[in-house]
Amino acid sequence: IFTCRVVGSVVINELFYHAPDDLTDLEWVELHNTDDQTVDISGWKLTGGIEFKFPDQSAIARGGFVVLCKDAKLFAECYDAPVSGEFKKSLSNGGDTVELVDASGQRVDRVTYGDSDPWPVAADGESSSLERITPGTPGDRADNWTASPLPEDMERPAGTPGRVNAS
């Protein structure tokens, strides 16, 4: 029997950690609020492979998304989605951990991804992002992630930042 454990209403929902070679600074992380109410994320942090602290009066609307990236200018050249900030450090192309903690320091969600089986290998430099399949299932389970579909024209990287995942 498969059971879901709810890990929180705000989850790490999508990661773009290894862009094609000509876009090395194109990295981003998307958070998703699965709740039916706005969640105040003031003072929350992303730690591990990246570092970012949400400023005062930060929130995610009910059912909404927040995107953070390494290079906002490059991100805007590739995607049409608002960015809430730029993070420090870089996600490792070989695998890394990203942790979301609330203002009191309590872990809200965590993803430790890899670039080989059982993790989707298309996200490792092939232009796909890692998309979470089920927000209520723990983020550290490889079977809860899939690669976003590759674009048909391959002129732009894949992924769905700021929107519902393709999966």
Side-chain angles (χ1 to χ4, degrees), residues 86-101:
E86 290 181 319
F87 53 75
K88 295 180 179 158
K89 296 174 57 177
S90 293
L91 294 166
S92 172
N93 292 345
D96 216 331
T97 297
V98 178
E99 191 167 79
L100 177 64
V101 295

Side-chain angles (χ1 to χ4, degrees), residues 86-158:
E86 290 181 319
F87 53 75
K88 295 180 179 158
K89 296 174 57 177
S90 293
L91 294 166
S92 172
N93 292 345
D96 216 331
T97 297
V98 178
E99 191 167 79
L100 177 64
V101 295
D102 66 18
S104 69
Q106 294 294 310
R107 183 185 324 158
V108 176
D109 196 19
R110 176 186 171 143
V111 177
T112 300
Y113 66 87
D115 69 342
S116 60
D117 190 43
W119 288 89
V121 295
D124 186 27
E126 300 295 327
S127 193
S128 289
S129 65
L130 280 178
E131 293 186 336
R132 192 175 191 141
I133 298 169
T134 306
T137 299
D140 57 0
R141 289 183 42 180
D143 64 348
N144 193 34
W145 294 85
T146 190
S148 63
L150 290 172
E152 290 181 24
D153 61 14
M154 293 300 287
E155 288 185 25
R156 290 180 174 246

Side-chain angles (χ1 to χ4, degrees), residues 38 58 60 65 68 70 74 76 112 121 131-133 139 154 156 167:
T38 296
S58 295
I60 303 179
F65 301 90
L68 303 168
K70 182 174 179 179
L74 180 57
T112 300
V121 295
E131 293 186 336
R132 192 175 191 141
I133 298 169
M154 293 300 287
R156 290 180 174 246
S167 61

Side-chain angles (χ1 to χ4, degrees), residues 21-35:
D21 291 336
D22 58 335
L23 302 169
T24 56
D25 284 340
L26 183 63
E27 296 181 1
W28 50 269
V29 175
E30 175 192 78
L31 303 180
H32 175 48
N33 177 7
T34 64
D35 204 345

